[in-house]
Amino acid sequence: MSKEEVRVRFAPSPTGYLHIGGVRTALFNYLFARSNGGKFFLRIEDTDRERSRKEFEDEILNSLRWLGLEWDEPMLYQSHRFSLYRERAEELIKKGVAYEVTEDGRKAVRFRIPKDRDSLSFDDLVHGEIKINLKELEDLVIVKSDGTPTYNFACVIDDEALGITHIIRGDDHISNTPKQMLFYEALGFKLPRFAHLPLIVGRDSAPLSKRHGAVALSAYKKEGFLAEGLLNYLALLGWAPGDNQEFFLKGDLIKCFSLDRINNTNAMFDNDKLRWLNGQHIKTMDERAYLRLALDYLRSEKLVPDEISNDHLEKICSLFKDRVRTLGDIAVEGEYLFKREYSFKEESVEKHWKAEGVGGRLKALVEAIESSSKVSSAADFEAITRDCASRLGVKAAEVIHPTRVALTGTHVSPGLFDIMAVLGEEEVVRRLKLALERLR
């Protein structure tokens, strides 16, 4: 007997933007399907006619494409299938397990909860056996009086149509499972396996919300996170590979993902860890790919002046490749390279401009640069700076550190000589002279 093909689905509702919790659910479904050579389907649950919006649907689809979570065909829309849901409801009425009731002058359909059974249980692939008391359930509405199906009823019909073998979703759906199991049984459908993912919580152990930071995926994209960095981090929220490895590309995740390594306790979201891991992905990127992505991002988000040429912008971005954790950090940490006017950090001024003789050293460096016949490369600036320090009889650091503050406003930056080369001789001299005026 051949092995059954794995078929899973992600079923977002276009009533809001795609959130981090939904992305992780989509990712786990995708990884499980691809790691088993199976199918990953997408279903748009748009039965809520009042709240469903095309803009939300577009954002969800574009976000999944950006993440590289490609789906298989067909893609279902529940709003296109109302007649089928009604047909299935009629079948249950004929079987005597459902009945019509009049609500607000219109007919709705309810499903009878079996009176001869006290409970239902199922083997959850994450939590083990879960038992539900049926005595607590009342008869269930499966078609509302306005003709729209209820969530649990439509889900079962659609999952059967797609041949879904495994339903991987959040813990908040555990209470829906027994209701859906009853529908599977009444309709004569084969029951899929269930795996319920523990929730994602903030550091205060409360469910992830806006107070913990950004929640919508689009906000992370706007901040300059990489798709690979986000996928890597979200995969580790509740799943572990069995060793201490933390850095994964999507292909690596597909190779080693399995449901039996999902933790059955809530996963804590740590934005600092996400930023660190995203920074690792930036560091390991191919240089040309990084520069293309960084320039596209900075331009599209309008984080840099239009007059800066792409060649110059590439030089700036190269300085920060190993230092930033998001692409957005380039504009923040390199602000002094994008603007002629920049602020000075008081801590940096106190640390490196208060020593005696600082003004004289900066003045001597200006004179050395202006008298040199060739100053363009980082090596040129380094040679002049070290020679200046030698002639002054001081350590090179005693010229380098105050110069860094003069050119950047801070004492923490990429290599000083690289910065000088990017700024160019004329701008370096201008900034040093302004620093001297400030010192006076």
Side-chain angles (χ1 to χ4, degrees):
M1 187 171 126
S2 61
K3 183 181 177 183
E4 181 183 40
E5 180 185 53
V6 166
R7 298 168 73 90
V8 299
R9 47 73 167 177
F10 175 55
S13 174
T15 55
Y17 295 113
L18 185 60
H19 286 189
I20 287 297
V23 176
R24 187 191 63 165
T25 298
L27 174 62
F28 280 23
N29 275 280
Y30 174 87
L31 293 176
F32 182 63
R34 297 296 182 248
S35 66
N36 286 282
K39 301 290 187 182
F40 170 65
F41 296 105
L42 190 61
R43 180 172 74 233
I44 304 299
E45 297 191 338
D46 55 349
T47 58
D48 189 333
R49 293 164 171 168
E50 291 185 4
R51 296 173 58 223
S52 292
R53 296 282 185 275
K54 182 67 165 60
E55 65 187 271
F56 294 138
E57 179 192 327
D58 290 344
E59 189 269 346
I60 291 168
L61 299 182
N62 290 334
S63 293
L64 292 175
R65 291 189 186 103
W66 176 67
L67 291 168
L69 301 182
E70 65 277 0
W71 56 90
D72 297 294
E73 294 294 336
M75 185 172 82
L76 296 187
Y77 286 83
Q78 288 190 327
S79 60
H80 299 172
R81 297 165 58 79
F82 280 13
S83 61
L84 177 60
Y85 304 137
R86 184 70 204 190
E87 286 175 18
R88 294 299 192 190
E90 293 290 346
E91 287 180 25
L92 297 184
I93 292 173
K94 290 177 181 178
K95 287 183 178 180
V97 295
Y99 56 95
E100 288 186 325
V101 293
T102 301
E103 295 179 356
D104 301 322
R106 295 181 292 183
K107 290 184 177 179
V109 181
R110 288 180 179 270
F111 179 86
R112 300 181 194 276
I113 299 297
K115 302 301 182 186
D116 56 345
R117 297 162 72 179
D118 293 331
S119 63
L120 270 181
S121 64
F122 63 96
D123 182 27
D124 191 278
L125 295 172
V126 174
H127 298 283
E129 185 182 26
I130 295 178
K131 192 172 184 178
I132 308 292
N133 183 4
L134 289 181
K135 296 298 183 183
E136 296 176 356
L137 295 181
E138 298 180 350
D139 288 355
L140 304 168
V141 174
I142 57 176
V143 178
K144 302 174 188 176
S145 59
D146 64 0
T148 60
T150 55
Y151 166 78
N152 285 308
F153 188 59
C155 276
V156 169
I157 295 167
D158 293 336
D159 286 336
E160 194 274 339
L162 289 170
I164 299 302
T165 60
H166 297 75
I167 294 178
I168 305 169
R169 57 190 181 186
D171 267 358
D172 50 331
H173 284 283
I174 288 179
S175 61
N176 290 323
T177 304
K179 303 169 188 175
Q180 294 174 5
M181 289 173 66
L182 290 172
F183 298 151
Y184 274 102
E185 184 179 276
L187 290 165
F189 295 163
K190 183 179 179 181
L191 192 69
R193 302 295 304 277
F194 293 94
H196 289 93
L197 309 175
L199 300 181
I200 301 174
V201 299
R203 288 183 174 178
D204 57 359
S205 297
L208 198 63
S209 66
K210 289 182 180 179
R211 73 171 181 275
H212 298 110
V215 175
L217 178 72
S218 54
Y220 288 94
K221 184 179 179 182
K222 191 173 182 63
E223 284 183 43
F225 282 90
L226 306 186
E228 289 277 15
L230 273 167
L231 290 180
N232 187 167
Y233 180 69
L234 291 176
L236 298 176
L237 279 182
W239 172 84
D243 53 29
N244 293 322
Q245 183 179 352
E246 292 186 307
F247 183 91
F248 291 91
L249 297 175
K250 189 175 73 170
D252 303 325
L253 290 169
I254 290 172
K255 288 177 183 176
C256 63
F257 185 82
S258 64
L259 292 179
D260 59 4
R261 291 198 174 277
I262 295 177
N263 201 316
N264 61 8
T265 57
N266 288 342
M268 186 172 293
F269 188 88
D270 184 341
N271 198 57
D272 292 337
K273 180 69 175 290
L274 166 60
R275 286 178 56 81
W276 172 82
L277 196 52
N278 196 72
Q280 300 304 302
H281 279 269
I282 291 176
K283 281 183 182 180
T284 59
M285 282 187 77
D286 170 78
E287 180 75 12
R288 293 310 305 171
Y290 160 74
L291 290 175
R292 283 196 303 272
L293 194 64
L295 263 64
D296 286 347
Y297 170 78
L298 293 170
R299 295 288 193 202
S300 64
E301 294 296 327
K302 303 188 182 305
L303 296 176
V304 295
D306 291 338
E307 59 267 22
I308 294 182
S309 70
N310 280 350
D311 286 344
H312 190 60
L313 188 53
E314 282 189 357
K315 291 175 183 177
I316 295 173
C317 291
S318 289
L319 291 180
F320 291 94
K321 183 172 184 286
D322 293 337
R323 302 178 65 89
V324 295
R325 298 191 168 184
T326 70
L327 298 177
D329 289 346
I330 299 171
V332 176
E333 294 192 24
E335 181 183 24
Y336 50 83
L337 293 172
F338 299 117
K339 300 178 180 179
R340 284 174 63 84
E341 302 299 326
Y342 50 96
S343 59
F344 288 78
K345 290 186 177 178
E346 203 57 44
E347 175 192 2
S348 301
V349 170
E350 286 290 330
K351 191 171 185 178
H352 295 295
W353 273 15
K354 295 299 184 182
E356 188 176 342
V358 167
R361 292 168 202 154
L362 294 182
K363 185 173 183 294
L365 182 58
V366 169
E367 292 170 351
I369 294 172
E370 288 185 319
S371 64
S372 177
S373 59
K374 178 196 173 188
V375 191
S376 58
S377 69
D380 295 336
F381 280 108
E382 181 173 8
I384 290 172
T385 304
R386 293 190 184 280
D387 181 65
C388 178
S390 179
R391 285 187 288 102
L392 292 171
V394 298
K395 295 178 181 178
E398 294 181 71
V399 178
I400 290 172
H401 293 319
T403 299
R404 187 193 305 276
V405 176
L407 299 182
T408 69
T410 179
H411 63 283
V412 179
S413 75
L416 173 64
F417 308 120
D418 292 322
I419 287 175
M420 295 172 88
V422 168
L423 288 172
E425 178 184 355
E426 183 180 336
E427 181 64 10
V428 167
V429 169
R430 186 189 76 84
R431 293 188 180 203
L432 287 172
K433 287 181 177 179
L434 286 174
L436 285 170
E437 290 180 14
R438 181 184 173 106
L439 276 167
R440 292 192 189 102

